[in-house]
Amino acid sequence: MDIQDLAGRVQSGERRALARAITLVESGRADHRAQAGALLDQLAPLGRQALRIGLSGTPGVGKSTFIEAFGMFLIGQGLKVAVLAVDPSSARSGGSILGDKTRMEQLSREKNAFIRPSPSQSQLGGVARRTREAVALCEAAGFDVVLIETVGVGQSETMVAEMSDLFLLLLAPAGGDELQGVKRGIMEIADLILVNKADGDLKQTAMRTCADYAGALRLLRKRAYDPAGFPKAMTVSAVTQDGLADAWAAIGELIDWRRANGYWDSRRAQQSRHWFEEDVRMGLLSVLNRKDTRARIETLGAQVAAGKLSASRAAEDILAHLRPTGEP
């Protein structure tokens, strides 16, 4: 593969080249990882930055419908929009449906839009392991806004907050008690809470839900990187497009304040450090999948299951096996 040629095509905004580049960085093959690193190194000096927006929500809240409506709105503002949609993988088969591109039919036909579905595989946090590298490729390709749609809602959703400039939480009217278990953790990282489906018979319910969440947000501890009035709750309708302009204005207000007060650059630097350490951790875990290590784990695992060896002693044996000679 000619990495220099691929980098030039990505830089010029060629969508097919961008798709090929993302496939490369998502590959786990050692030779592909080396090529992906070379590609990212070539594109890094461009220094292009997009607005990275993470988005999550409960199943059935209308994430895909909202992203299509919001993406079309942004394109109408003269912006180029990339969507990285992460689909959950089956724990049994490892497969994913990857149907987001089909569900965003109108947006997928726009020349200023790019939609890339990826499987989450075994990665926690609702994002694929290489999503952040895909974001960097979209920035290098000249996209102005990158929307990262994540899998579901949960405490591990903080992963997407570590690769985005702003985090949107999409909720349905009258969510009910099923949200009680996730409210606290997810609301602490949300910058904007958008109550979707604020139209028709659900409009009044959506207004009440929005007021409830606005009250709940006031009880949370103030974050240093938020201006007055943030985080905030708002109502939107992906069907009628009501509230999209107001949500975009709120996003602009928040980002402008963070840029002016130094939080944009410091946050990006902190995120880079986080993912460096995360890559180190993942690299160490990959050592466990080596053939010799897996064989040793199987042997010791059988002894633990038979009650011949304690789990802690077996773990110490594996760690001693992995530890370089002479290390304590």
Side-chain angles (χ1 to χ4, degrees), residues 1-324:
M1 184 180 297
D2 188 338
I3 295 301
Q4 189 170 358
D5 175 66
L6 182 60
R9 288 161 56 202
V10 169
Q11 182 179 346
S12 66
E14 185 182 322
R15 291 198 294 182
R16 181 171 294 182
L18 176 57
R20 188 179 182 190
I22 293 177
T23 299
L24 180 65
V25 302
E26 288 180 342
S27 174
R29 280 176 41 176
D31 57 334
H32 286 175
R33 291 306 307 151
Q35 291 177 327
L39 175 63
L40 291 167
D41 287 343
Q42 285 203 31
L43 294 172
L46 295 175
R48 293 176 177 173
Q49 288 189 340
L51 174 58
R52 306 170 182 175
I53 300 177
L55 185 139
S56 185
T58 49
V61 75
K63 292 192 294 291
S64 295
T65 306
F66 172 80
I67 288 174
E68 178 168 54
F70 192 50
M72 293 299 296
F73 169 81
L74 295 178
I75 289 173
Q77 305 296 306
L79 300 172
K80 293 182 66 179
V81 180
V83 179
L84 301 177
V86 184
D87 277 7
S89 297
S90 167
R92 178 174 298 178
S93 67
S96 299
I97 295 176
L98 303 180
D100 293 86
K101 202 165 186 177
T102 303
R103 292 155 69 185
M104 302 177 196
E105 184 179 356
Q106 187 178 6
L107 187 62
S108 64
R109 293 198 300 263
E110 284 289 332
K111 63 181 179 64
N112 287 325
F114 175 81
I115 302 175
R116 172 71 180 212
S118 299
S120 65
Q121 299 174 334
S122 60
Q123 186 74 9
L124 294 177
V127 290
R129 181 181 176 188
R130 301 298 173 186
T131 297
R132 67 188 186 283
E133 294 178 353
V135 171
L137 290 173
C138 291
E139 289 182 317
F143 285 91
D144 303 298
V145 179
V146 180
L147 295 169
I148 310 165
E149 180 193 1
T150 69
V151 179
V153 170
Q155 294 291 341
S156 58
E157 213 69 11
T158 53
M159 294 276 296
V160 75
E162 292 294 344
M163 66 177 69
S164 58
D165 303 308
L166 184 138
F167 185 78
L168 303 182
L169 175 60
L170 207 62
L171 298 177
D177 290 340
E178 65 267 24
L179 286 176
Q180 298 301 324
V182 297
K183 269 185 193 174
R184 181 73 180 178
I186 200 74
M187 285 177 62
E188 286 177 340
I189 63 172
D191 296 299
L192 279 179
I193 291 179
L194 302 179
V195 182
N196 194 24
K197 304 183 180 181
D199 51 66
D201 295 337
L202 287 175
K203 186 167 185 178
Q204 291 302 316
T205 305
M207 297 290 286
R208 289 194 298 271
T209 302
C210 180
D212 290 341
Y213 277 97
L217 287 173
R218 287 193 288 270
L219 300 177
L220 296 180
R221 181 179 300 174
K222 179 70 175 175
R223 304 181 304 192
Y225 49 86
D226 287 334
F230 286 88
K232 65 169 62 178
M234 308 176 71
T235 58
V236 295
S237 169
V239 175
T240 65
Q241 284 80 55
D242 288 341
L244 296 183
D246 292 337
W248 179 239
I251 290 171
E253 179 186 350
L254 178 58
I255 293 301
D256 288 346
W257 186 89
R258 287 181 177 173
R259 283 183 184 274
N261 289 274
Y263 290 109
W264 173 282
D265 292 331
S266 64
R267 180 62 175 158
R268 288 261 174 137
Q270 179 186 343
Q271 289 175 345
S272 296
R273 174 64 181 266
H274 169 86
W275 289 110
F276 154 67
E277 295 181 359
E278 185 66 19
D279 261 357
V280 172
R281 281 191 288 268
M282 295 301 295
L284 291 174
L285 288 174
S286 68
V287 176
L288 295 176
N289 289 321
R290 290 189 321 207
K291 189 175 181 179
D292 60 326
T293 306
R294 289 306 312 170
R296 198 178 190 95
I297 289 175
E298 290 297 326
T299 300
L300 292 173
Q303 295 181 34
V304 171
K308 298 178 180 179
L309 186 67
S310 70
S312 58
R313 288 298 300 274
E316 289 175 7
D317 185 291
I318 292 296
L319 293 175
H321 172 70
L322 297 175
R323 193 176 296 126

